[in-house]
Amino acid sequence: MSRGELRVYLGAAPGVGKTYAMLEEAQRRAERGTDVVIGLVETHGRPHTAAMIGDLEQVPRRTINYRGAEFTEMDLDAVLARRPEVAVVDELAHTNVPGSRNEKRWQDIQELLDAGINVLSTVNVQHLDSLNDVVAQITGTTQRETLPDQIVRAAGQVELVDMTPEALRRRMAHGNIYRPDKIDAALGNYFRVGNLTALRELALLWLADKVDEQLDRYRAQHGISAIWEARERVVVALTGGPEGDTLVRRAARIAARSKGADLLAVHVARSDGLAGADPAQLARQRVLAESLGGTYHQVLGTDIPAALLDFARGVNATQLVLGASRRGRFAQLFSRGVGVTTTALSGPIDVHLVTHPEAGRGRRTAGVPAALSRRRRLLGFALAGIGMPLLTLLLRALPDLSLTNDILLFLAGVVGVALVGGLWPALVTALGGSLLLNWFFTPPFYTLTIAEAENLLALGVFVGVAVAVSWVVDVAARRTREAARASADAQTLATVAGGVLRGERPLPALLDRLRETFGLRAVSVLELAAGAEGRPDRARDEGAWRVVASVGDSPAGSPSAGETAVPVDDRLTVVLSGRRLEAADRRIVEAFAAQAAVALKQERLAEEAATARPLAEADRMRTALLAAVSHDLRTPLASAKAAVSSLRSPDIEFDADDREELLATADESLDRLGRLVANLLDMSRLQAGALGVTATTIGLEDAVPRALDELGPAAADVTTDIPADLPAATADPGLLERVLVNIVANALRYSPPGRPPTVTASAHAGQVELRVIDTGPGIPEDQWEHVFLPFQRLGDRDNQTGVGLGLALSRGLAEAMGGSITPETTPGGGLTMVLRLPAAGERPEL
């Protein structure tokens, strides 16, 4: 049985028409004779969407009882038993009610696909895991229901349901998305033009990436290696040299000329694993490339032009940026160089050769270290000076050996010296051995004259083989040492990086790991003080520097106070104290110094954000308070004033019904004003600790109905479930009623039409718990505490529905009575407020 195919309708925001488009496709397939059923569709009260269902068969939903409330979910077993060709399942990212077989709806859909059933579904871009934090930053709202991107990427088809922000706002204003009482708040918050434009761009870019993956997969399956310029991709090649910064910035400018172009920086490392580039330079250039919106990559290869072009073709690059050769003119006579070779082999890829200050100056390489230690080289010279005469004496005592045997034994001695002392002792041995062979063993003896040509050839071959063997042994020893050094550097980098990742504060963790790795006494990061830029003595003057971070004992206060100073930029320097480092170690320290600068920048950004947060909070509270004065106070005053003025007007004669209506309006407005003033006064008393509490025994079966009566007709549909045997609570009756009125009113405000809140009660561990359950939009868990702040509402952008003191005051009153209020997530979506009070007989914790 083949697996079913998933088709997803992707939208940038609610209301763009995903469910409508999905149902249109279902109707088309049904008209073609396909067996289509609806597993679950959420119309959200939108008549056009409901009408599109038409006569499509709907599988009855399954009812689940959870915590005294009933919820409906897709009946997965019924759909599997029905086995249609196509199942329509809305809202791919939905979280199922506890008690369902799977936690998420996309897991239900996976079972349908495994059963060979094709599925049509919908999802908004804010529900994708990879974009969840970006959407939260843009809109100020964190989506709790998310799903892995891979689920949508694996879909056979993803169709974007697109709509301009202006058109979507018109749909909202016409009442085609939300009910009328939510339209103004939605238009002023989530559905602002800027938000919708950003969400639309996110959806387009995400879908473009998926299309790009499909294109790459198609080219790989069909063996297409030619470059298809579907999107500009600029690849910049980095060698780890000082010209890298110039190349990266030049490539970024080229990429910026095309909207949506990609910037990729690549370094071709030697495939033998030996160090060939400056890690500090590469680290800085990687940070630069990423700060300009690019990505960094590293590939292995012995043939640099071939490896570079393989990478460029693999990412479907359209342009390649290379630096002009740093080699001198003499070196270019023997090899065309990477740039020229790459240009000749690039084919359809445009190659930019960028000049820079280092071009033609030759490669700056550090002095090549000796392959072997000084002790082994001296031992090699000693072996040559003693071994060759001893070998000569031994061969003189064996007169029956031929010249060929003598040469082989001398060659063995040269190899032995090369293994012990390296190149130069072996060369001295080869030269001395050739003279000894000529003097003692080549006729005529005891002269440097060679009589026979074959003897001359034999000695020449001896010298050549001896030199070649010495060179090979020396190169092998040098490569072994370089490989060991590269392995040690890699181990150091991995250790320090791991320490940084595991540390709570990146900069101190980086410096501490660096100190431990190299056995230092202290490490400090110094920043040049303002006004010290032009001082020539600043390296020794501690007053010219400021220690921004340090670890260890007695950190240096100036660059000259430590054993090693590693400049990061014009203002930052990392100073190491305790011992001097070798030149090879310094390169690794430079790499970490670059990372230290990045970590310092991140810490400062975090500090600036923390400093700005209280100011923003204070400004937000002032704005909210102004909203309260300008709206919450002004509106009831204006209503009462208008009603009273009308009644007092001698120009109009009102009948009894009109007078009653005007008096009711004035009475209602004044009650609203009184409640607001009471809330403000109670909040001020709570914050001043002057609120009086008279605790007594009270039953919730009496308190809840009084609170609902206080709310009037709006609370008529609220469902209550209070057990008859529920213990009484210890609370202040007046304050408890205020708390209940506030939290039930909050639940009513956000409950969808036809699904009023539910109030349930239970007893547990000496406490009476009352739950006010709504199935509205809910609140992200990371914002639960925010709603209990004064002048705070869901989203904190709506200044038309009140000052937002209700929940803050309710928590304060509950705590004053020895109780608490905590939010929970309603299964299936929504918010549950849990009021806990001490049971009668239990001593409240005041």
Side-chain angles (χ1 to χ4, degrees), residues 145-162:
E145 294 185 328
T146 61
L147 80 164
D149 288 41
Q150 186 57 37
I151 302 300
V152 184
R153 291 189 183 277
Q157 299 180 63
V158 177
E159 181 174 330
L160 178 67
V161 182
D162 190 28

Side-chain angles (χ1 to χ4, degrees), residues 142 144 779-785 825:
T142 301
R144 294 176 291 106
I779 301 176
E781 185 173 348
D782 58 353
Q783 296 183 19
W784 280 354
E785 291 302 315
T825 299

Side-chain angles (χ1 to χ4, degrees), residues 205-254:
L205 291 175
W206 190 93
L207 188 61
D209 286 339
K210 176 173 169 44
V211 173
D212 198 50
E213 291 178 3
Q214 292 176 330
L215 178 62
D216 290 342
R217 187 162 54 248
Y218 176 85
R219 295 174 70 240
Q221 290 172 352
H222 292 79
I224 300 173
S225 58
I227 301 299
W228 288 4
E229 298 185 11
R231 182 196 295 188
E232 287 287 349
R233 285 187 175 85
V234 182
V235 174
V236 53
L238 302 177
T239 63
E243 77 282 357
D245 293 357
T246 302
L247 300 183
V248 171
R249 291 189 174 93
R250 176 62 171 164
R253 289 196 297 271
I254 295 174

Side-chain angles (χ1 to χ4, degrees), residues 559-770:
S560 61
E563 278 70 25
T564 304
V566 180
V568 179
D569 53 30
D570 293 339
R571 300 190 62 83
L572 289 178
T573 298
V574 176
V575 182
L576 313 180
S577 304
R579 69 180 183 89
R580 290 194 176 275
L581 298 182
E582 299 179 4
D585 290 335
R586 183 184 176 91
R587 298 203 324 160
I588 301 300
V589 174
E590 287 176 350
F592 291 119
Q595 296 300 324
V598 175
L600 177 61
K601 182 178 180 181
Q602 291 175 343
E603 284 196 0
R604 287 181 170 175
L605 289 174
E607 291 174 358
E608 291 176 1
T611 303
R613 191 176 297 114
L615 298 177
E617 179 68 16
D619 182 69
R620 184 189 64 78
M621 292 189 65
R622 283 194 299 268
T623 302
L625 185 57
L626 288 174
V629 174
S630 64
H631 182 271
D632 282 23
L633 292 176
R634 183 180 62 186
T635 299
L637 280 174
S639 299
K641 175 67 174 176
V644 173
S645 298
S646 299
L647 290 172
R648 295 187 61 190
S649 174
D651 301 329
I652 304 176
E653 192 70 31
F654 294 101
D655 57 24
D657 292 339
D658 291 338
R659 291 178 61 84
E660 183 65 28
E661 183 178 352
L662 288 173
L663 288 172
T665 299
D667 184 60
E668 180 182 349
S669 299
L670 291 174
D671 285 345
R672 180 180 173 188
L673 181 61
R675 286 194 298 269
L676 175 60
V677 173
N679 282 343
L680 288 170
L681 291 175
D682 284 345
M683 180 57 67
S684 65
R685 292 192 188 102
L686 277 173
Q687 293 179 344
L691 183 69
V693 178
T694 304
T696 185
T697 300
I698 183 172
L700 292 185
E701 67 276 8
D702 298 326
V704 172
R706 285 201 299 268
L708 297 180
D709 291 340
E710 175 73 16
L711 291 170
D717 295 330
V718 174
T719 304
T720 60
D721 181 12
I722 301 177
D725 58 349
L726 183 71
T730 301
D732 184 305
L735 298 184
L736 176 59
E737 184 176 334
R738 298 279 298 280
V739 171
L740 293 176
V741 167
N742 281 331
I743 59 178
V744 174
N746 186 74
L748 284 168
R749 182 179 297 113
Y750 294 108
S751 292
R755 300 170 68 181
T758 300
V759 179
T760 66
S762 61
H764 178 71
Q767 288 185 320
V768 177
E769 295 184 354
L770 187 139

